[in-house]
Amino acid sequence: MPEKEEKGTSLENGQAAAAAANSTPTKTKPQPQRQKTPPARRRPNDSDVVAGGVGITGGGVVILPQHVLNELYHNYSIKQRRSGLKWFLFAAVLFNIWTIIIPWDQEVATRVVNCCMLLAYLALTGLLHIGRGSEKPTLKRLHEILLTIIPRTLWLLSILHFVAYVILQPSFSPRDVLGWAILLNFLVYVTLPLPLIFLGLSIGCCSYLICLSLPVAYSRQDPMLSNQVAANAVLIATAALIGLLYYFMGEAKQKRAFLEAKKSLEVKMVIEEQSAEQERLLLSVLPKHVAIKMREDLGSSSSEAFKKIYMSRHENVSILYADIVGFTAISSTYSAQDLVKMLNELFARFDRLAEKYQQLRIKILGDCYYCISGAPDERPDHAVMCVHMGLSMVKAIKYVQQKANSPVDMRVGIHTGAVLAGILGQRQWQFDVYSKDVELANKMESSGKAGRVHISDKTLAFLNGEFEVEPAFGEKREELLRIAGLKTYFITKVVKPFASPCAKKINETQAENNHTSPNGSTNEAITGADDNDGLDDEELLAQTVVSNGHQTPGEEDEEEQVKLENFKQRLKDELVTRDGHENLIKDTNVFLRFKNPQLEQSYAVYREPYSSLPLLAALLVQCIDVLYSYLVLPRSTLHFINIAAPLVPIAMLVVISIAESFSGMLPKFFVDVSKRFNDITFVRELAAIIIALTIGLSNVVDMFFFVTFVRTEHIVSESEFNATAGLEGDVEDVEDSGVVTAEHLLPASFVEQMREAVPTERVLYPSYLSNFGILILIAIAVIAQLTHLTKILLLLSIAALHCYFNIFIMQDLYSLEDDLSHQPLISTRYCASGLLIVAALALSTLARHMDHEDRVIFKWKTEVAEQKETANDMRQRNEALVYNVLPVHVAEHFMKNTKRSHDDLYSQSYAEVGVLFASMPNFSDFYSEETVNNQGLECLRFLNEVISDFDALLELPQFQDIIKIKTIGSTYMAASGINLQRNLRNDAPITERWSHLAVLVEFALELKHALQGINEQSFNHFVLKMGINHGPITAGVIGARKPHYDIWGNTVNVASRMESTGKAGAIQVTEETCNILQEFGYTFQQRGLVAVKGKGQLMTYYLQGKSQPNAEPAAPTPIELHGPESTTLESTTELEASDIKTPLLKVKTQDAPAESEGIAQESSLGNGCAGQVGESQSLLE
């Protein structure tokens, strides 16, 4: 509550609070590969306020000048107050009807003026509806102009009516229209949509002075005129004060709503921008239809036996595999980080080409890049686009040739068939494709030639003659292609060049420039552009990226200005242009109760800050009763006891209700009691009703005491009162003036005797009690704790009780007042009762409007909260998905650095990391694309169960520092020690430095147990073959447009070899890793020497288990193998890189003998020096 109270003090304070809430500094890691000069930003002046928060502009702070904020709030406030204009008009019409009906005998001029005023009011009502809701700009502007003019015109008209009525009366006293003067001065502040300065200094003061001075100027002679003027001044001023109190309360309420909506909009824009960045990041990795489905299912519980699998089959899909030939040669001259940077820049170019040729990049495996066309969105030209992509990639490799000064080249293979596309597992999702045709596409690449695009006859069938080909005889170089019965071809010439929108724009520009050239020059220019289309487009995209990567300070300032304007427009749309009063009709019934029961219950409990302050009006009115009655009512002891006694309970209830609004000024205990008091809805409503009834009934009791006092004091005997009252209507003939007075009805001696019995100084006016009743009704109408139905019931009941007393209880006193006022035609008691009814009806409609306004603000706050909650929910869902695609620290880097170039490299080096590879070697035998397996989908469903169970282990607390890197078919890859928060001493013991490696081993053992449990449930016999290594690695993201997180280095390559050269059911490690793990109590058996390309012969060991806690680490025991197994293990050849590129089917050694450099894909990213350069993980399993 105090926060809301402080926020309502001023727009400046609210802005400062919003700025403080939204400008929390966030630490962002600098990009390691490029430096960007921070743009110069002007320091905000004292008159400026922070409108945006960190994140709205992607890390910048938008400055919203104070005058802009004030202008927005002014427009918003005026628009909200316009809804009260019709209730001022309604009250003015009611008073107009009273002036026409009540004084029956009026001059013709008076009737004409009153009727003209009524027509004028009706005309203003009609003008209010001109152009309302119209979409035509002219009518909308006219409506805005009328809404500016009509409030001033309406006030002027009501004052003119008041003046005309006073002037045209033949006999007038200051108390005749006092009730309307009280109501008018209250309504001016509450209903007119005018700014306070104009309202307070001009209209408010003028209204007060006119209503006070004009009746005095035209009043007939009265011995107590000065007393009446003083009493009028007090009563009218009190009404104006209550109006001002409500005005300031309404302003504070609207200001809080404005600032809360503004702050919520800022938060929502931050969330939206974060969500948009998450969405961009997510959709760059996952296709839209998959991301949408996963977001919908996020957090939902499924009763199915199998975990949800997001996989779909697509026919007629072209699959492209591309590999860099000769990359092994240049890898030995670069560090792992430099190689990653080079690959990132090259694959960024490939990603731009993929966007141009409508390809969906699937994965990056070391220096291998593969993508598809025709899925998830079908397209008839999928094969054509794939071939264009391959040809452009061959051209783009010139970048690496120039960069490395080495004859590297691209080898591209394309095959067309069916794929199962989707994701597997529950963490580190990567969209992938699976099928026999994917394996064939991989073999198309490995059996191709450098610098050529190798296609199958299946792909050729979809090219529609747009390319010339020649036989490639790939089936003679690759057994799997021969078994599949494929014929292969090389692309030799482009018959129909690809024309992109970018190339068309270049052609049009060149055509315009060469329009006046000699004949033939234009055609040559166009032909040249077409011939080099791929290269020109690729260069143009590269230039665009480079130019967009760096922004000048001027561009940043312009971007900041654009976002500031966007914020202003959104804030205007959010607050100023919406019409909540109209929208509320759809959500409420005729009694203004929300149709949604929960919303109605929330509204009943909800309390606006300072909502108890209007109760001060009731206390003020009761205090004023003492002051004004001293001037114009009998000064008896009974009277003062009656009006003073309620002050005590009213003051107690008011103080205990408003104490929480003054927490800084009152004792904490008292404030806490007030909060508890107001927190109980029934108690605070009951207190408000008691206060309203007390001030209302106090005046009614005072009316009764007035009669009692006059009679008990024997100022006028009861018989004399009755005689005066009974003779009012017996006049049949009135001479001269025709005005009936007591002097015409009674003998002169009796009248003289009565005048002597009632001295002039004791003549007091009961009509003031009725006029004071209008002030009581005003005080009740502004009470915020009550619903409009309760207030209407109270207003009408108290008004009816006053009318009853006026007409039936105090008739004799009113008769005496009429006689002293020269006997008006209509008794004062009827005129006063009529004004009471006018005030009660006007205030009843106003009470409904106040409740309506409060409900609008509450509904707005609810909607803003719901919108923010919806945006936040979307953000959280996207965040959960993004964190399942990239590690948390990597995802945060990409989402915070929104101004980075798309091709910036993110990489980190780690000195001590453990790497695990775990595969299911017999899954390839299990996989089949028979109909019984739903074309392989059911096999992948089982693999999804296995990988999901593996992922579930990462949720366990003991494995929280292990990161899943990716899955490659049925191979699971994880790492430990990739933790930015690890700060170890240089002299830390091995058991402390490599504790995460022991945890990785425990994780590997848990993988075996998890697979064993799955085997028992599914009656299968799958086994895991695992390899673990340790050492330095480089981790990073390649292809920032479609981020792919991976780790590289010699450590990764050796870990892959430990898995691929191991045996099923065992965990193989190097000698160095064995020595470290023995410190943790693990026991090993020596396997022997294993040939690892780039590393030579390595001594390896199989993990046996863990010794007892106190047992000494055992020395490795050599494995004695005899017979064929020994020969097989010792003569293990290096597996081909095609194994790791094949998602499902592991090619056995005997089925894929080692071939020439052009076929084998294994290449080294290092020269054997561990820690300096590393071998590409994607090239070695």
Side-chain angles (χ1 to χ4, degrees):
M1 188 68 69
E3 293 177 2
K4 293 186 177 179
E5 294 171 3
E6 292 171 6
K7 191 185 300 179
T9 56
S10 67
L11 285 176
E12 292 84 347
N13 292 344
Q15 281 274 90
N22 290 320
S23 60
T24 304
T26 55
K27 295 182 180 179
T28 304
K29 259 193 123 171
Q31 298 178 14
Q33 298 299 329
R34 67 192 297 178
Q35 298 292 331
K36 186 178 291 186
T37 303
R41 294 181 183 271
R42 68 181 182 87
R43 294 184 63 185
N45 299 324
D46 294 337
S47 60
D48 292 341
V49 287
V50 178
V54 174
I56 293 180
T57 61
V61 177
V62 180
I63 303 300
L64 190 66
Q66 183 66 39
H67 70 88
V68 175
L69 183 68
N70 289 337
E71 180 184 356
L72 285 172
Y73 173 70
H74 172 75
N75 294 334
Y76 161 78
S77 178
I78 292 298
K79 181 176 177 62
Q80 302 314 310
R81 288 172 59 84
R82 281 174 181 166
S83 58
L85 187 62
K86 55 189 175 184
W87 306 118
F88 184 95
L89 192 57
F90 177 72
V93 169
L94 286 179
F95 174 69
N96 190 279
I97 294 173
W98 178 85
T99 59
I100 293 174
I101 294 177
I102 296 299
W104 292 331
D105 186 19
Q106 297 184 33
E107 298 290 337
V108 175
T110 305
R111 290 189 179 275
V112 170
V113 169
N114 288 334
C115 292
C116 289
M117 289 295 177
L118 182 60
L119 292 175
Y121 287 138
L122 297 177
L124 286 178
T125 305
L127 289 175
L128 279 175
H129 293 81
I130 293 179
R132 184 180 181 184
S134 175
E135 297 297 329
K136 296 181 179 179
T138 306
L139 289 178
K140 289 177 71 174
R141 284 197 299 271
L142 177 61
H143 184 64
E144 289 297 321
I145 293 172
L146 288 175
L147 287 177
T148 305
I149 296 174
I150 287 178
R152 296 161 175 80
T153 306
L154 183 57
W155 171 80
L156 184 61
L157 196 62
S158 63
I159 292 298
L160 288 177
H161 187 201
F162 181 84
V163 171
Y165 180 80
V166 172
I167 293 175
L168 292 175
Q169 293 304 308
S171 178
F172 190 79
S173 71
R175 58 187 180 276
D176 285 353
V177 286
L178 176 60
W180 172 243
I182 292 171
L183 185 61
L184 177 63
N185 278 269
F186 168 74
L187 293 175
V188 161
Y189 295 98
V190 174
T191 58
L192 291 183
L194 298 172
L196 179 62
I197 295 177
F198 181 73
L199 190 69
L201 298 181
S202 55
I203 289 183
C205 293
C206 289
S207 301
Y208 181 77
L209 294 175
I210 291 173
C211 291
L212 183 62
S213 60
L214 190 69
V216 176
Y218 286 88
S219 175
R220 56 180 175 265
Q221 293 297 322
D222 196 309
M224 297 188 67
L225 183 61
S226 60
N227 293 51
Q228 295 180 62
V229 171
N232 289 5
V234 170
L235 294 176
I236 297 174
T238 303
L241 283 175
I242 296 175
L244 278 171
L245 174 65
Y246 187 82
Y247 177 88
F248 285 117
M249 289 292 300
E251 277 290 291
K253 194 187 310 177
Q254 296 289 0
K255 193 173 294 183
R256 280 192 299 271
F258 177 82
L259 289 174
E260 285 177 6
K262 171 183 162 293
K263 184 177 178 181
S264 297
L265 178 62
E266 291 171 356
V267 173
K268 191 169 71 171
M269 288 179 70
V270 171
I271 294 173
E272 285 176 358
E273 180 155 340
Q274 292 175 350
S275 182
E277 185 63 19
Q278 292 167 351
E279 185 89 356
R280 188 205 65 76
L281 197 58
L282 184 64
L283 295 182
S284 68
V285 179
L286 302 177
K288 188 174 183 179
H289 72 285
V290 176
I292 292 174
K293 184 62 178 173
M294 296 180 78
R295 187 188 297 122
E296 290 175 352
D297 293 341
L298 197 65
S300 61
S301 58
S302 175
S303 58
E304 297 179 3
F306 291 96
K307 295 179 177 66
K308 185 80 174 182
I309 183 172
Y310 301 92
M311 194 73 62
S312 56
R313 185 175 177 84
H314 302 273
E315 304 289 341
N316 298 327
V317 177
S318 291
I319 308 119
L320 180 150
Y321 271 81
D323 191 70
I324 304 175
V325 179
F327 202 72
T328 303
I330 66 172
S331 64
S332 61
T333 60
Y334 288 91
S335 67
Q337 184 135 348
D338 289 338
L339 285 174
V340 170
K341 180 181 179 182
M342 186 182 298
L343 287 175
N344 176 69
E345 293 176 357
L346 176 64
F347 290 150
R349 292 168 179 254
F350 289 172
D351 284 346
R352 295 199 296 277
L353 290 174
E355 290 179 3
K356 174 185 173 183
Y357 294 114
Q358 304 296 308
Q359 304 290 304
L360 178 62
R361 189 247 276 172
I362 302 300
K363 271 187 181 179
I364 296 171
L365 298 173
D367 63 343
C368 178
Y369 184 102
Y370 71 100
C371 56
I372 62 173
S373 181
D377 299 322
E378 296 180 2
R379 52 183 308 130
D381 59 346
H382 54 87
V384 175
M385 301 295 276
C386 251
V387 172
H388 278 300
M389 174 73 180
L391 293 172
S392 296
M393 292 175 80
V394 172
K395 293 180 182 179
I397 196 61
K398 294 178 181 178
Y399 158 77
V400 178
Q401 294 175 357
Q402 297 170 358
K403 182 89 173 177
N405 194 22
S406 176
V408 295
D409 212 334
M410 291 299 296
R411 185 173 55 225
V412 179
I414 302 174
H415 175 63
T416 301
V419 299
L420 287 165
I423 61 173
L424 295 177
Q426 305 298 314
R427 293 170 69 99
Q428 299 304 108
W429 290 315
Q430 291 180 344
F431 189 74
D432 210 342
V433 289
Y434 310 84
S435 71
K436 299 281 188 181
D437 288 315
V438 174
E439 180 192 2
L440 291 174
N442 176 247
K443 295 303 179 183
M444 288 296 299
E445 177 269 315
S446 63
S447 62
K449 291 184 179 180
R452 306 297 297 272
V453 176
H454 192 203
I455 66 170
S456 67
D457 53 356
K458 300 290 185 182
T459 303
L460 181 63
F462 289 92
L463 294 183
N464 303 321
E466 295 189 21
F467 302 89
E468 290 185 2
V469 299
E470 65 181 17
F473 305 108
E475 65 275 11
K476 295 182 179 180
R477 296 186 296 274
E478 177 57 60
E479 181 69 15
L480 198 61
L481 299 180
R482 185 189 64 79
I483 295 173
L486 295 180
K487 302 292 182 182
T488 68
Y489 303 88
F490 288 130
I491 300 293
T492 59
K493 184 179 180 181
V494 179
V495 177
K496 184 179 178 181
F498 174 78
S500 68
C502 184
K504 290 180 181 178
K505 187 174 182 180
I506 294 174
N507 293 339
E508 291 172 1
T509 304
Q510 291 181 345
E512 291 176 1
N513 294 338
N514 297 313
H515 183 67
T516 56
S517 300
N519 292 337
S521 62
T522 303
N523 293 333
E524 291 174 4
I526 296 175
T527 304
D530 286 341
D531 290 342
N532 299 314
D533 174 70
L535 185 59
D536 289 344
D537 279 358
E538 199 258 324
E539 288 178 349
L540 180 63
L541 285 168
Q543 293 172 2
T544 303
V545 171
V546 171
S547 64
N548 289 341
H550 298 274
Q551 288 185 324
T552 64
E555 290 173 341
E556 292 235 357
D557 289 341
E558 183 178 352
E559 180 184 356
E560 202 171 280
Q561 186 65 27
V562 168
K563 290 181 178 178
L564 182 144
E565 292 297 327
N566 177 48
F567 177 80
K568 283 168 52 181
Q569 187 59 43
R570 288 196 61 178
L571 185 59
K572 184 178 180 182
D573 294 340
E574 193 82 11
L575 293 169
V576 178
T577 59
R578 63 181 179 179
D579 192 350
H581 292 273
E582 294 295 332
N583 296 337
L584 191 67
I585 297 175
K586 300 180 293 185
D587 301 317
T588 56
N589 55 25
V590 68
F591 298 111
L592 274 188
R593 293 179 63 86
F594 288 112
K595 295 177 181 177
N596 185 344
Q598 294 180 347
L599 195 60
E600 178 63 30
Q601 185 177 3
S602 299
Y603 176 73
V605 176
Y606 174 74
R607 288 188 295 123
E608 274 282 340
Y610 303 103
S611 59
S612 301
L613 288 184
L615 291 175
L616 288 172
L619 184 60
L620 176 63
V621 166
Q622 194 64 26
C623 293
I624 290 299
D625 194 2
V626 179
L627 180 59
Y628 101 90
S629 61
Y630 179 81
L631 298 171
V632 291
L633 291 180
R635 302 168 187 171
S636 67
T637 304
L638 190 60
H639 167 72
F640 284 107
I641 290 175
N642 175 58
I643 61 178
L647 276 175
V648 177
I650 292 175
M652 290 176 61
L653 290 175
V654 170
V655 169
I656 198 172
S657 296
I658 69 172
E660 66 171 344
S661 301
F662 301 94
S663 56
M665 303 169 59
L666 297 174
K668 185 178 182 301
F669 170 77
F670 199 60
V671 173
D672 291 340
V673 171
S674 176
K675 286 181 179 180
R676 287 196 292 269
F677 180 86
N678 287 318
D679 284 341
I680 305 174
T681 306
F682 172 76
V683 172
R684 71 169 185 263
E685 289 181 353
L686 181 62
I689 293 174
I690 291 173
I691 292 173
L693 288 176
T694 301
I695 60 173
L697 295 179
S698 173
N699 197 52
V700 172
V701 172
D702 203 24
M703 296 170 81
F704 178 77
F705 283 171
F706 194 169
V707 177
T708 304
F709 168 75
V710 172
R711 289 177 175 172
T712 55
E713 293 292 324
H714 302 292
I715 295 177
V716 181
S717 65
E718 186 172 354
S719 59
E720 290 171 342
F721 273 122
N722 294 338
T724 305
L727 292 172
E728 280 183 355
D730 295 338
V731 180
E732 296 180 359
D733 183 33
V734 180
E735 297 179 358
D736 300 330
S737 65
V739 178
V740 180
T741 66
E743 291 145 340
H744 296 102
L745 302 174
L746 302 173
S749 59
F750 178 81
V751 173
E752 187 64 26
Q753 181 182 0
M754 186 177 66
R755 290 191 182 279
E756 292 177 357
V758 185
T760 303
E761 62 272 12
R762 302 296 297 278
V763 177
L764 303 175
Y765 307 100
S767 59
Y768 272 97
L769 287 169
S770 183
N771 291 325
F772 182 72
I774 294 178
L775 197 60
I776 291 173
L777 297 182
I778 290 174
I780 295 174
V782 298
I783 295 176
Q785 283 88 341
L786 303 177
T787 65
H788 75 284
L789 292 175
T790 306
K791 287 195 280 190
I792 289 174
L793 181 62
L794 288 171
L795 290 171
L796 295 180
S797 300
I798 292 175
L801 200 57
H802 277 75
C803 290
Y804 174 80
F805 267 73
N806 282 343
I807 297 173
F808 299 106
I809 304 300
M810 300 181 65
Q811 58 177 341
D812 43 8
L813 293 178
Y814 274 109
S815 298
L816 181 58
E817 182 176 345
D818 291 341
D819 178 68
L820 298 177
S821 301
H822 305 288
Q823 201 65 37
L825 181 65
I826 302 300
S827 175
T828 306
R829 67 176 186 264
Y830 295 116
C831 294
S833 299
L835 274 178
L836 268 172
I837 294 173
V838 167
L841 292 176
L843 292 172
S844 295
T845 56
L846 185 63
R848 192 177 194 277
H849 164 70
M850 291 174 177
D851 195 5
H852 192 280
E853 198 173 48
D854 289 343
R855 287 175 182 268
V856 166
I857 293 176
F858 174 77
K859 186 69 165 59
W860 281 354
K861 289 182 178 181
T862 304
E863 289 175 352
V864 167
E866 289 175 353
Q867 291 171 3
K868 189 166 69 173
E869 185 177 347
T870 301
N872 194 43
D873 179 67
M874 177 67 72
R875 194 260 306 266
Q876 290 176 350
R877 288 175 179 270
N878 281 346
E879 192 175 78
L881 293 179
V882 168
Y883 289 164
N884 262 339
V885 171
L886 298 171
V888 174
H889 65 282
V890 179
E892 288 177 348
H893 167 82
F894 276 85
M895 288 186 292
K896 288 178 181 177
N897 293 279
T898 55
K899 290 188 178 180
R900 70 184 187 282
S901 168
H902 282 298
D903 300 331
D904 283 346
L905 174 68
Y906 171 80
S907 65
Q908 294 287 333
S909 295
Y910 300 91
E912 298 176 346
V913 173
V915 181
L916 164 70
F917 279 84
S919 68
M920 291 194 302
N922 53 344
F923 183 77
S924 57
D925 299 330
F926 172 76
Y927 180 82
S928 68
E929 294 184 356
E930 305 296 333
T931 305
V932 68
N933 286 326
N934 197 7
Q935 285 79 41
L937 180 60
E938 297 308 316
C939 297
L940 291 183
R941 192 184 302 279
F942 177 81
L943 181 60
N944 181 63
E945 289 294 309
V946 174
I947 296 176
S948 296
D949 283 356
F950 289 174
D951 290 341
L953 295 176
L954 295 174
E955 302 291 339
L956 299 177
Q958 61 266 36
F959 301 134
Q960 61 181 354
D961 288 333
I962 296 177
I963 294 178
K964 174 186 175 183
I965 304 299
K966 61 184 174 183
T967 56
I968 310 162
S970 60
T971 301
Y972 194 93
M973 180 181 177
S976 64
I978 303 178
N979 191 336
L980 296 177
Q981 278 69 44
R982 290 186 73 231
N983 294 315
L984 296 176
R985 306 186 313 274
N986 295 330
D987 59 344
I990 290 179
T991 54
E992 184 178 345
R993 288 168 47 201
W994 291 103
S995 60
H996 62 85
L997 186 62
V999 174
L1000 186 64
V1001 173
E1002 291 298 322
F1003 178 71
L1005 296 174
E1006 285 297 325
L1007 293 182
K1008 292 178 65 175
H1009 295 155
L1011 185 61
Q1012 183 179 354
I1014 294 174
N1015 285 334
E1016 292 174 357
Q1017 294 176 3
S1018 60
F1019 305 103
N1020 283 306
H1021 303 281
F1022 292 105
V1023 292
L1024 281 179
K1025 184 171 62 172
M1026 292 183 280
I1028 294 177
N1029 192 28
H1030 77 283
I1033 60 101
T1034 295
V1037 174
I1038 279 185
R1041 283 174 175 266
K1042 296 173 72 65
H1044 171 82
Y1045 182 77
D1046 212 339
I1047 57 177
W1048 299 269
N1050 183 64
T1051 302
V1052 180
N1053 300 321
V1054 173
S1056 176
R1057 282 301 172 207
M1058 292 299 99
E1059 176 268 322
S1060 62
T1061 61
K1063 69 175 182 180
I1067 301 174
Q1068 184 176 219
V1069 301
T1070 62
E1071 186 173 10
E1072 293 82 359
T1073 305
C1074 170
N1075 293 335
I1076 292 176
L1077 291 176
Q1078 282 180 335
E1079 297 289 334
F1080 294 91
Y1082 292 101
T1083 59
F1084 295 87
Q1085 283 186 332
Q1086 187 182 53
R1087 174 203 176 162
L1089 294 174
V1090 174
V1092 176
K1093 186 171 182 178
K1095 301 296 291 183
Q1097 298 289 321
L1098 295 180
M1099 181 65 69
T1100 65
Y1101 298 84
Y1102 286 135
L1103 177 71
Q1104 282 190 315
K1106 195 169 186 179
S1107 61
Q1108 295 301 322
N1110 295 327
E1112 293 292 331
T1117 304
I1119 304 175
E1120 296 183 2
L1121 299 175
H1122 304 281
E1125 185 180 6
S1126 175
T1127 305
T1128 304
L1129 287 173
E1130 293 300 328
S1131 62
T1132 301
T1133 60
E1134 301 166 9
L1135 297 187
E1136 297 188 77
S1138 57
D1139 298 349
I1140 199 168
K1141 295 175 193 173
T1142 304
L1144 287 175
L1145 305 181
K1146 294 286 200 178
V1147 182
K1148 299 179 176 62
T1149 304
Q1150 60 268 26
D1151 294 335
E1155 298 190 18
S1156 63
E1157 166 66 14
I1159 300 176
Q1161 301 302 308
E1162 298 179 277
S1163 60
S1164 173
L1165 294 183
N1167 59 3
C1169 299
Q1172 294 181 356
V1173 294
E1175 192 175 13
S1176 172
Q1177 170 268 319
S1178 69
L1179 307 180
L1180 295 173
E1181 286 202 348

